[in-house]
């Protein structure tokens, strides 16, 4: 019995563990019932949400628009976002920040920083010596990094989503350009952390667009591959993407649609903003020519005037996309001088001629990276606002050689809808139809290291080695393991970008540092000293390229193996517990599992990587030893060779089946001898099964970031606190504005009410004058001193006014409620009286109410009648300016008391069973009452032909007596005069009351 109890205890522990996990999941789901996506463009952003009952909806901002400008105005005491900030760009251009995403992940010497200074000279960019980046210097006391400004925008987008969803939101998917490198992606993640967002994924905007296109055309996707090209020209950049759609077989859900990114081409500076800047420069030249003889200043030196010209250029570009010419006009451009000039589409195309020549560039890059031709492309679809320019469409159509360009997708909202679909798929709170997404690596990543090699002459020299970790256009997310087999002491290796020959010289300068990280390993030699009897299997570095495209080094391990013989010792308690828990989830223990049960660690490189729900990431192991040339790591790995060293560049995955097979060979050869004959000692040694035992030692890792250092934890905490303080200040400002508006509205509304007849009827002239004087004094105070008043002072003033006017408002409200309340009370009294009268008419034999119950109801009815008559009479004697004695709350209380008594009797009548009829002493049935219906009395049955009258007719089978339902406490509707209570079905053998007996 004791053994049984011991076997059950692990099962109970496992069950409690499962319950704890489920409860944790439920608690997590309770806080994540809604998710959001942010399509973060250069000029504007689109926010979408998914919540229960609202599938994939674009969020409207406070101006009820679906698109919000990515603009922030930072002043000393307040901030503005979206359309409000865009309006402030003309009044205060220095404090209004736009297009700051171009500075993310860029050091001060980056060409994009110089380009930003040239485009927006009104902004002062200060140098950050710690990270070699720039800050926005708003004033001597205010400076913000681009990450902090982006964090403000993301926090504002979350507030819009929460107001729209009417619940808190923390989980989000954010879109980023496909050409963002590691530093830029990490900068966006840091900005999201400052905003308090949990980023489920950074999804490339071209991938999000392709996902949105595929989700809404799921039925058109089949096993035949369809190649679609998406040409996305936005405000700041252009990206061309080739996507292949087809259905694939998945392990979890069978045949499901899949999109695979095959090729990507881009131009970082080709977009609508550059066209607007060309137009702004053209308009500035026209304005200077108009004032040439007046010795006026150059309009380019006036930031406000240039902000006005940029806004007019944006409007002009939009109008010229549909018209041949348009008149540009700005009132009071500078020095109160109006500007007016005619601009034609031909002039606009001449200004941007070199930009239009760059339109086919991303197409060629995408085709080269995909290794495809234009003949394999079925359709070219336009995305982005700048593709609406006619000349862009004309040049692109000529470049792709198609009959027409596809415009069957929402060019502005496609990325936001695709991103929010991915957010719902990644969230635990929603279940969506699977759609496999295979994104592609744009920039290859490799590992470089140096080791000593021995030349044939015995001379030792250093050899530089490179291993491709993630190849260009290879799929991600995925995990990879690199094994260093020829190191027994501490060493360093480097993680860098691979061949970037597809980028031009200018793009390479903008790209920044091509060196990512230097990894310094500590403790390698100590791990070898700890296990001198074990065979080294190398130093394994585990890399992860996650769903956001961000590379990380998970851990570095020193792995050792040795062959050990099985001992007949009894399994430990922990082993039994582990086997029991495993059996709960996956069945019993197999012999192979028992052999590997005492391994120190399970080989993680042999398990599937943690990808998204649709496509698990690939996990590959690479080894560093050997001299073979580097091969593409995206190809399927060959089986591990039996030799101890693998050729350089070849993948040598350590498959679990192979290890098991090696471990089982001695046991297969060592079969037991005949029964009863003990084997010889030498044979016994051969026959003992041996297996591999693995030991793993964690290696210390020191990372030296080379491209752009992340914010230290203390700096990040200060940035988070800074943004929280600004948010709290904004909330306090909104609260104060709300209090001031409420006070001002109360003053105006009350002053107007004092002249209305219904208020004059219940107030004296002195009372109205007192209230009017107090309102005027408060209004004067609000105009003179209200600007500096605190929220508490404004609320206190409002409370004083409400207290003064409370009596007046109360009398008016009571008089408004009297007719409705009194009418309802009269109806209830009439129905209750009729019900009581009907109840008293029920014969004693069928009576279901007791005398106490009917007397109680009668008493309540009489008391209510008396209270109503007396109170109405007293109220009629009082003047209208006095506090009324007839109160609506008292009427409601009397109605509730009376309704409670009536409902009690109605519920009793509804479920009461009729009493059985008494029988006389001789056993004969009692005489039916005189008013009984003919159907209740026995009818004489005429026997059929051939049957005597004494023969009894065949009786019908008795119906089973129905059980009465529990008493329903739901209030019943009171019927009118003559309303009949609901009758229950009578049991067999009992007399049913006639209609005259019914109430």
């Amino acid at each position: 019995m004791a053994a049984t109890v011991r076997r059950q205890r692990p099962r109970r522990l496992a069950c409690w563990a499962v319950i704890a996990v489920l409860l944790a999941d439920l608690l997590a789901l309770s806080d994540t019932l809604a998710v959001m996506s942010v399509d973060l463009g250069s000029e504007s952003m689109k926010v979408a949400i998914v919540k229960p009952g609202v599938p994939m909806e674009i969020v409207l901002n406070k101006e009820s628009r679906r698109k919000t400008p990515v603009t922030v105005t930072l002043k000393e005491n307040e901030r503005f976002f979206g359309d409000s900030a865009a309006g402030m760009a003309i009044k205060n251009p220095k404090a209004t920040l736009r297009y700051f995403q171009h500075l993310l992940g860029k050091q001060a010497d980056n060409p994009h920083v110089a380009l930003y200074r040239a485009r927006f000279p009104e902004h002062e960019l200060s140098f950050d010596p710690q990270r070699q980046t720039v800050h926005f210097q708003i004033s001597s006391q205010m400076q913000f990094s681009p990450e902090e400004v982006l964090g403000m925008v993301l926090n504002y987008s979350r507030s819009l989503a929460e107001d729209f969803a009417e619940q808190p939101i923390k989980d989000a998917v954010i879109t980023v350009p496909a050409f963002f490198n590691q530093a830029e992606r990490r900068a966006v993640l840091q900005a999201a952390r400052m905003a308090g967002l949990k980023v489920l994924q950074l999804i490339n905007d071209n991938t999000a667009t392709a996902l949105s296109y595929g989700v809404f055309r799921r039925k058109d996707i089949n096993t035949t591959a369809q190649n679609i090209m998406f040409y996305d020209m936005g405000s700041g950049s252009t990206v061309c993407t080739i996507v292949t759609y087809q259905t694939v077989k998945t392990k979890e859900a069978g045949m499901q649609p899949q999109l695979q990114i095959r090729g990507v081409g881009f131009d970082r500076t080709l977009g609508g903003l550059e066209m607007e800047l060309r137009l702004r420069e053209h308009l500035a030249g026209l304005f200077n020519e108009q004032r040439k003889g007046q010795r006026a200043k150059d309009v380019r030196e006036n930031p406000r005037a240039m902000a006005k010209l940029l806004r007019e250029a944006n409007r002009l570009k939009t109008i010229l996309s549909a018209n041949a010419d348009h008149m540009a006009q700005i009132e009071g451009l500078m020095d109160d001088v109006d500007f007016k000039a005619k601009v034609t589409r031909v002039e606009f195309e001449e200004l941007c001629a070199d930009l239009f020549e760059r339109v086919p560039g991303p197409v060629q890059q995408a085709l080269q990276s995909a290794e495809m031709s234009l003949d394999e492309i079925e359709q070219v679809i336009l995305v982005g606002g700048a593709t609406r320019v006619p000349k862009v469409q004309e040049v692109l159509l000529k470049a792709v050689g198609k009959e027409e360009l596809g415009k069957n997708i929402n060019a502005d909202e496609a990325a936001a809808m695709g991103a929010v679909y991915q957010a719902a798929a990644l969230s635990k709170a929603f279940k969506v139809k699977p759609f496999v997404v295979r994104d592609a690596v744009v920039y290859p990543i490799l590992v470089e290291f140096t080791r000593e090699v021995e030349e044939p002459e015995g001379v030792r020299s250093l050899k530089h080695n490179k291993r491709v970790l993630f190849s260009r256009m290879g799929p991600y997310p995925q995990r990879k393991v690199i094994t260093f087999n020829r190191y027994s002491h501490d060493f360093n290796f480097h993680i860098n970008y691979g061949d970037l020959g597809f980028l031009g010289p200018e793009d390479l300068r903008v790209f920044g540092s091509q060196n990512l990280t230097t990894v310094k390993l500590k403790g390698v030699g100590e791990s070898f000293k700890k296990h001198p009897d074990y065979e080294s299997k190398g130093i394994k570095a585990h890399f992860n390229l996650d769903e956001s495209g961000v590379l990380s080094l998970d851990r570095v391990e020193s792995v050792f193996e040795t062959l050990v013989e099985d001992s007949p010792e009894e399994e430990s308690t922990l082993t039994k517990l582990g086997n029991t828990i495993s059996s709960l989830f996956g069945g019993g223990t197999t012999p192979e599992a028992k052999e590997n049960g005492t391994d120190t660690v399970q080989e993680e490189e042999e398990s599937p990587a943690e990808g998204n729900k649709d496509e698990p990431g690939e996990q590959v192991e690479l080894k560093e030893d050997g001299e073979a040339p580097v091969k593409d790591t995206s190809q399927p790995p060959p089986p591990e060779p039996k030799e101890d060293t693998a050729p350089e560049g070849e993948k040598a995955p350590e498959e679990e089946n192979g290890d098991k097979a090696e471990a089982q060979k001695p046991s297969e050869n060592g079969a037991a001898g005949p029964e009863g004959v003990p084997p010889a000692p030498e044979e016994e040694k051969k026959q003992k099964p041996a297996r591999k035992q693995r030991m793993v030692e964690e290696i210390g890792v020191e990372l030296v970031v080379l491209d752009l250092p992340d914010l230290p934890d203390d700096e990040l905490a200060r940035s988070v606190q800074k943004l929280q303080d600004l948010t709290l200040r904004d909330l306090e400002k909104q609260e104060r504005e709300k209090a001031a508006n409420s006070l001002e509205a109360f003053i105006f509304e009350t002053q107007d009410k004092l002249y209305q007849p219904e208020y004059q009827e219940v107030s004296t002239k002195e009372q109205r004058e007192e209230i009017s004087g107090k309102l005027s004094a408060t209004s004067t105070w609000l105009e003179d001193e209200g600007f500096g008043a605190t929220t508490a002072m404004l609320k206190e003033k409002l409370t004083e006014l409400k207290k003064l006017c409370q009596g007046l408002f109360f009398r008016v409200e009571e008089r408004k409620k009297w007719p409705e309340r009194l009418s309802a009370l009269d109806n209830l009294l009439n129905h209750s009286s009729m019900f009581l009268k009907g109840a008293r008419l029920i014969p004693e034999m069928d009576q279901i109410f007791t005398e106490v119950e009917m007397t109680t109801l009668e008493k309540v009815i009489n008391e209510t009648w008396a209270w109503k008559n007396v109170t109405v009479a007293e109220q009629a004697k009082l003047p209208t300016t006095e506090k009324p004695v007839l109160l609506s709350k008292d009427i409601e209380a009397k109605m509730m008391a009376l309704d409670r008594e009536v409902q009690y009797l109605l519920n009793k009548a509804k479920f009461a069973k009729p009493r059985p009829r008494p029988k006389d002493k001789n056993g004969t049935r009692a005489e039916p009452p005189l008013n009984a219906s003919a159907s209740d009395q026995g009818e004489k049955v005429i026997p059929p032909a051939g049957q005597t009258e004494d023969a009894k007719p065949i009786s019908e089978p008795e119906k089973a007596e129905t059980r009465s339902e529990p008493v329903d406490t739901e209030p019943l509707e009171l019927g009118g005069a003559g309303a009949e209570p609901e009758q229950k079905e009578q049991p067999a053998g009992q007399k049913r009351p006639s209609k005259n007996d019914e109430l």
Side-chain angles (χ1 to χ4, degrees):
M1 182 63 184
T4 304
V5 173
R6 281 197 298 270
R7 284 197 300 269
Q8 290 178 351
R9 186 171 299 171
R11 292 180 179 270
R12 293 178 181 176
L13 293 176
C15 292
W16 281 112
V18 173
I19 292 173
V21 172
L22 293 177
L23 288 176
D25 289 342
L26 289 176
L27 291 175
L29 284 178
S30 63
D31 295 334
T32 57
L33 290 181
V35 293
M36 62 178 287
S37 71
V38 184
D39 178 20
L40 201 60
S42 298
E43 182 180 16
S44 60
M45 66 178 177
K46 278 74 65 179
V47 183
I49 65 164
V50 169
K51 74 170 187 175
V54 181
M56 298 174 63
E57 179 67 25
I58 295 293
V59 172
L60 302 180
N61 59 18
K62 296 179 181 179
E63 290 77 19
S64 298
R65 296 181 181 177
R66 302 169 71 88
K67 184 166 59 174
T68 304
V70 183
T71 309
V72 185
T73 299
L74 301 172
K75 301 177 72 174
E76 291 293 339
N77 297 322
E78 56 186 345
R79 295 184 302 174
F80 298 94
F81 296 94
D83 293 292
S84 301
M88 293 291 295
I90 297 176
K91 299 179 181 178
N92 195 346
K94 182 179 180 180
T96 303
L97 308 180
R98 295 179 289 179
Y99 303 101
F100 48 82
Q101 302 97 308
H102 299 171
L103 302 178
L104 289 173
K106 305 288 194 307
Q107 293 186 342
D109 58 351
N110 194 288
H112 264 200
V113 177
L115 180 62
Y116 190 87
R117 282 194 172 103
R119 287 175 170 179
F120 306 102
E122 64 271 14
H123 296 315
E124 182 181 350
L125 299 178
S126 60
F127 179 70
D128 180 13
Q130 183 178 3
R131 302 177 63 212
Q132 306 295 314
T133 57
V134 294
H135 285 85
F136 289 103
Q137 193 73 35
I138 307 299
S139 65
S140 59
Q141 304 295 330
M142 293 176 60
Q143 67 174 11
F144 299 96
S145 65
E147 290 86 354
E148 290 174 340
V149 179
L150 179 58
M152 298 178 194
V153 173
L154 292 176
N155 190 32
Y156 176 69
S157 68
R158 183 177 67 172
S159 67
L160 294 178
E162 289 178 344
D163 293 343
F164 193 82
E166 299 179 348
Q167 60 179 293
I169 298 178
K170 292 183 179 180
D171 298 343
V173 169
I174 303 174
T175 67
V176 294
F179 52 77
F180 263 24
N181 56 27
Q182 294 292 311
E184 293 167 314
R185 292 175 186 270
R186 294 200 307 269
V188 175
L189 290 177
Q190 285 185 341
R193 288 182 60 187
M194 295 176 187
L197 281 175
K198 177 184 176 183
V199 179
L200 299 177
Q201 180 181 350
L202 291 183
I203 186 171
N204 295 335
D205 47 13
N206 59 341
T207 306
T209 302
L211 179 58
S212 175
Y213 180 85
V215 164
F216 292 104
R217 291 162 181 81
R218 176 185 293 265
K219 295 181 180 179
D220 299 335
I221 302 175
N222 49 41
T223 54
T224 304
Q226 306 176 33
N227 299 320
I228 307 295
M229 176 181 288
F230 294 92
Y231 192 86
D232 181 5
M233 180 181 287
S235 176
S237 60
T238 300
V239 178
C240 181
T241 310
I242 299 176
V243 184
T244 298
Y245 294 95
Q246 67 181 131
T247 55
V248 296
K249 188 174 183 180
T250 60
K251 295 180 180 179
E252 295 82 6
M255 298 295 293
Q256 296 297 336
Q258 170 190 277
L259 72 85
Q260 181 177 3
I261 305 298
R262 300 290 301 277
V264 177
F266 57 88
D267 190 327
R268 281 178 175 262
T269 58
L270 177 60
L273 174 62
E274 187 62 29
M275 301 179 191
E276 295 169 12
L277 293 173
R278 301 281 180 93
L279 268 176
R280 182 184 71 169
E281 190 67 21
H282 176 66
L283 296 178
L286 293 178
F287 183 72
N288 287 336
E289 287 182 4
Q290 292 178 5
R291 306 184 64 200
K292 192 172 183 180
Q294 304 176 10
R295 295 182 180 180
K297 294 181 179 179
D298 189 353
V299 70
R300 298 179 181 87
E301 298 176 0
N302 191 320
R304 291 188 178 182
M306 294 300 287
K308 293 179 182 179
L309 287 173
L310 184 60
R311 185 177 64 177
E312 182 65 15
N314 181 287
R315 188 182 71 89
L316 200 61
K317 182 197 71 172
T318 304
I319 295 178
L320 288 178
S321 298
N323 298 274
D325 54 58
H326 186 67
M327 188 68 66
Q329 49 188 357
I330 303 174
E331 184 178 353
L333 176 58
M334 189 175 70
D335 298 337
D336 296 329
V337 177
D338 298 340
F339 170 65
K340 191 173 184 180
K342 183 178 181 181
V343 181
T344 64
R345 183 189 292 181
V346 175
E347 293 176 344
F348 170 64
E349 292 176 354
E350 290 176 355
L351 291 171
C352 305
D354 59 325
L355 299 180
F356 297 140
E357 293 176 358
R358 292 159 55 184
V359 168
V363 176
Q364 300 301 324
Q365 291 182 24
L367 291 172
Q368 290 174 6
S369 60
E371 298 180 354
M372 300 173 66
S373 64
L374 282 171
D375 296 335
E376 301 176 62
I377 305 300
E378 297 184 10
Q379 191 178 10
V380 179
I381 297 177
L382 297 179
V383 187
T387 56
R388 298 186 177 98
V389 177
K391 189 64 175 180
V392 172
Q393 298 182 14
E394 178 186 342
V395 175
L396 180 61
L397 186 62
K398 184 178 180 181
V400 298
K402 302 294 181 182
E403 295 182 359
E404 60 179 358
L405 300 174
K407 302 176 183 178
N408 52 351
I409 192 172
N410 191 323
D412 291 327
E413 300 176 359
M417 299 300 281
V420 80
Y421 186 90
Q422 184 72 357
L426 295 175
S427 173
K428 298 179 180 179
F430 303 96
K431 184 177 181 181
V432 300
K433 292 183 179 180
F435 203 108
V436 184
V437 178
R438 292 176 61 86
D439 213 330
V441 178
V442 178
Y443 306 117
I445 298 175
L446 52 81
V447 172
E448 299 185 26
F449 56 94
T450 303
R451 60 180 174 84
E452 290 185 352
V453 294
E454 187 173 351
E455 301 294 338
E457 294 81 7
V459 180
R460 302 182 67 85
S461 61
L462 295 178
K463 181 181 179 182
H464 190 70
N465 297 273
K466 293 184 179 181
R467 299 290 177 271
V468 176
L469 191 60
F470 299 100
S471 61
R472 174 164 163 78
M473 302 316 299
Y476 77 89
Q478 61 176 330
R479 297 172 183 265
K480 287 192 177 180
V481 180
I482 286 188
T483 303
F484 302 93
N485 282 336
R486 297 191 178 184
Y487 287 96
S488 58
H489 55 276
D490 295 351
F491 66 99
N492 303 337
F493 63 89
H494 310 278
I495 306 173
N496 303 323
Y497 288 106
D499 182 16
L500 300 180
F502 58 92
L503 297 178
E506 185 64 25
D507 290 334
L508 282 175
R509 292 178 57 205
V510 173
F511 186 84
S513 174
Q514 298 184 32
N515 301 319
L516 287 173
T517 309
T518 295
V519 181
K520 299 181 180 180
L521 302 183
K522 298 180 181 180
V524 177
E526 295 178 2
S527 66
F528 277 82
K529 294 178 182 179
K530 288 182 181 179
H531 308 284
D533 300 332
Y534 283 69
E535 179 187 359
S536 173
K537 289 297 181 180
I539 311 300
K540 296 182 181 293
H542 297 255
F543 296 91
N544 178 27
L545 191 64
D546 61 13
E547 295 88 347
S548 300
V550 177
L551 177 66
S552 61
L553 177 61
D554 288 345
R555 65 189 183 279
V556 179
E557 301 171 338
S558 182
V559 182
F560 301 90
E561 278 189 1
T562 187
L563 290 177
V564 297
E565 297 179 354
D566 280 337
S567 59
E569 295 179 1
E570 186 178 357
E571 291 180 330
S572 64
T573 305
L574 291 177
T575 304
K576 291 180 179 179
L577 176 60
N579 294 338
T580 305
I581 295 176
S582 299
S583 65
L584 289 176
F585 294 96
T589 306
T590 60
E592 293 84 352
K594 288 184 178 179
E595 286 188 9
N596 294 330
T598 57
D599 283 354
T600 305
V601 67
Q602 184 180 359
E603 293 191 81
E604 217 171 276
E605 60 268 21
E606 294 164 3
S607 62
E610 296 177 3
N612 55 23
K613 295 182 180 179
D614 300 329
E615 178 66 15
E618 182 186 359
Q619 192 162 353
V620 184
E621 182 178 354
L622 308 174
K623 290 197 175 183
E624 57 88 12
D625 51 347
E627 305 295 337
V630 177
K631 294 184 179 179
D632 188 2
T633 57
S634 64
Q635 300 296 327
E640 182 181 2
K642 295 183 180 179
E643 289 80 13
D644 192 29
T645 60
E648 179 180 355
E650 288 187 359
K651 300 174 204 168
E654 301 176 1
E655 298 188 358
E656 191 174 354
N657 297 335
D659 292 344
K660 292 176 182 176
E662 291 178 5
Q664 291 172 359
K665 284 181 181 178
S667 62
E668 291 174 359
N669 297 334
E675 269 187 58
V677 181
E682 295 180 0
E683 295 177 358
E684 184 178 2
K685 289 182 182 179
K686 295 179 181 178
Q687 292 173 358
K688 283 185 179 180
R691 58 177 173 80
K692 289 182 179 180
Q693 184 180 24
R694 168 174 289 194
M695 298 296 293
V696 175
E697 287 286 337
E698 290 284 343
I699 303 299
V701 176
E702 180 184 352
L703 300 178
V704 180
V705 180
L706 302 177
D707 55 348
L708 183 67
D710 293 336
L711 279 174
D713 292 339
D714 55 344
E715 289 289 336
L716 182 61
R718 279 196 289 270
S719 296
V720 171
Q721 187 62 42
K722 184 195 297 186
L723 265 61
Q724 289 178 352
D725 294 341
L726 291 174
T727 302
L728 183 61
R729 188 190 69 183
D730 291 344
L731 293 176
E732 291 176 353
K733 178 176 175 292
Q734 293 175 6
E735 187 70 18
R736 186 197 171 281
E737 291 177 351
K738 184 178 179 181
N741 293 336
S742 299
L743 178 59
E744 188 175 7
F746 183 84
I747 293 173
F748 291 146
E749 291 176 2
T750 307
Q751 287 177 341
D752 181 64
K753 288 177 181 178
L754 293 178
Y755 295 97
Q756 296 178 7
E758 55 185 359
Y759 287 87
Q760 292 183 349
E761 182 182 356
V762 296
S763 62
T764 62
K765 183 178 180 181
E766 292 77 10
Q767 292 174 342
R768 293 194 295 272
E769 289 178 352
E770 179 185 3
I771 294 175
S772 178
K774 188 68 175 177
L775 292 174
S776 301
T778 306
S779 178
T780 303
W781 173 87
L782 188 61
E783 292 176 358
D784 297 340
E785 305 177 16
F787 181 78
T790 63
T791 305
M793 294 172 62
L794 294 171
K795 290 184 177 180
E796 184 180 355
K797 289 287 184 181
L798 181 60
T799 303
E800 292 177 1
L801 293 180
K802 287 184 176 180
K803 186 176 181 180
L804 178 63
C805 304
Q806 183 178 5
L808 174 62
F809 292 163
F810 177 75
R811 293 192 294 271
V812 174
E813 291 299 322
E814 286 296 319
R815 298 181 75 86
K816 288 180 179 179
K817 295 177 181 178
W818 283 348
E820 182 183 355
R821 297 291 192 277
L822 290 175
S823 176
L825 180 60
D826 289 340
N827 289 334
L828 182 59
L829 286 170
N830 291 333
H831 287 91
S832 302
S833 300
M834 296 174 63
F835 173 77
L836 178 61
K837 183 177 179 181
R840 291 191 179 279
L841 293 177
I842 299 176
E844 182 179 357
M845 182 178 298
D846 299 323
Q847 185 60 264
I848 58 176
F849 305 124
T850 65
E851 185 63 27
V852 175
E853 294 170 343
M854 290 186 289
T855 303
T856 302
L857 177 60
E858 183 178 9
K859 179 181 178 181
V860 174
I861 293 174
N862 294 334
E863 290 177 351
T864 305
W865 274 115
W867 174 86
K868 182 220 170 190
N869 295 332
V870 172
T871 308
V872 170
E874 290 181 2
Q875 180 61 44
K877 297 177 183 178
L878 282 178
T880 57
T881 58
E882 297 292 333
K883 181 179 179 180
V885 295
L886 180 62
L887 304 179
S888 59
K889 65 177 184 178
D890 294 340
I891 300 175
E892 293 173 356
K894 292 294 182 181
M895 292 176 62
M896 289 178 61
L898 179 57
D899 184 67
R900 183 170 56 250
E901 295 296 331
V902 175
Q903 292 296 335
Y904 170 75
L905 297 182
L906 283 174
N907 287 333
K908 183 177 181 181
K910 182 177 180 180
F911 298 104
K913 295 182 180 179
R915 299 176 182 177
R917 293 296 180 183
K919 296 183 179 180
D920 58 5
K921 296 180 181 180
N922 297 330
T924 59
R925 181 176 295 177
E927 289 291 334
L930 296 176
N931 56 358
S933 62
S935 60
D936 294 331
Q937 302 185 21
E939 296 181 358
K940 185 175 182 181
V941 180
I942 302 176
Q947 184 177 352
T948 61
E949 186 176 352
D950 295 335
K952 295 182 179 180
I954 300 175
S955 61
E956 296 182 1
E958 294 185 358
K959 295 182 180 179
E961 183 177 354
T962 58
R963 181 174 298 177
S964 62
E965 298 177 0
V967 176
D968 186 5
T969 58
E970 184 179 351
L972 303 176
E973 273 195 42
L974 290 177
E980 300 179 3
E982 184 180 348
Q983 296 293 331
K984 283 292 181 178
E985 184 179 354
Q986 300 298 324
Q990 293 190 12
K991 174 183 171 296
R992 179 177 179 178
S994 64
K995 293 183 179 179
N996 294 333
D997 291 337
E998 296 179 359
L999 178 59

